[in-house]
Amino acid sequence: MKLWDRIQRGMEAGFDSTIAAVHSITEKAGEGIELTRLRREKVRLETQVTRRLAELGNRVFEKISAERDDEIAEKFGIKDILLEVAQDEAKMVEIDQRLKNVLKKSE
């Protein structure tokens, strides 16, 4: 599973929970319809911006990683972050393999 897919699933769950909480809180507080509508719209737009920024970051990450463009990574000061992400992904692959082995043994 790609890093972006994992991030997106987590973000979706978090955003949905946040929106539900805002809806619940504002309705329970008995605020006016217009105030509630404006707050919901603001949360929706904040969520949209966050998703777009995450997608943008993922696209930049994938492009720099695929092209192994150290010059750009150095220029933007993200070379260490790219290395950390690669190391974490390698650890996740290792853990997935270990999980499969444990599950296979328990069958």
Side-chain angles (χ1 to χ4, degrees), residues 27-76:
E27 288 175 353
K28 287 180 182 177
E31 295 175 345
I33 294 172
E34 181 64 12
L35 185 56
T36 300
R37 187 189 67 74
L38 290 171
R39 286 189 173 153
R40 285 180 180 173
E41 180 65 9
K42 182 180 178 196
V43 168
R44 186 190 68 76
L45 290 170
E46 287 172 343
T47 300
Q48 186 174 340
V49 167
T50 302
R51 286 178 178 161
R52 286 183 176 153
L53 287 172
E55 185 177 350
L56 173 65
N58 187 64
R59 287 183 185 180
V60 170
F61 169 78
E62 287 180 351
K63 180 133 178 94
I64 291 173
S65 295
E67 295 178 5
R68 300 191 185 279
D69 198 333
D70 289 337
E71 183 180 327
I72 290 178
E74 290 281 344
K75 183 177 181 179
F76 291 113

Side-chain angles (χ1 to χ4, degrees), residues 5-6 23 45 62 71 80 82 86 98 106:
D5 294 332
R6 289 191 302 269
H23 289 217
L45 290 170
E62 287 180 351
E71 183 180 327
D80 290 340
L82 293 172
R98 289 170 56 192
S106 67

Side-chain angles (χ1 to χ4, degrees), residues 59-105:
R59 287 183 185 180
V60 170
F61 169 78
E62 287 180 351
K63 180 133 178 94
I64 291 173
S65 295
E67 295 178 5
R68 300 191 185 279
D69 198 333
D70 289 337
E71 183 180 327
I72 290 178
E74 290 281 344
K75 183 177 181 179
F76 291 113
I78 58 172
K79 190 171 184 175
D80 290 340
I81 295 171
L82 293 172
L83 179 60
E84 290 169 359
V85 168
Q87 290 171 340
D88 290 343
E89 285 183 327
K91 287 177 187 176
M92 285 188 290
V93 168
E94 179 186 325
I95 289 171
D96 281 342
Q97 186 60 44
R98 289 170 56 192
L99 284 169
K100 286 177 187 178
N101 290 339
V102 169
L103 290 172
K104 194 182 290 185
K105 288 179 184 179

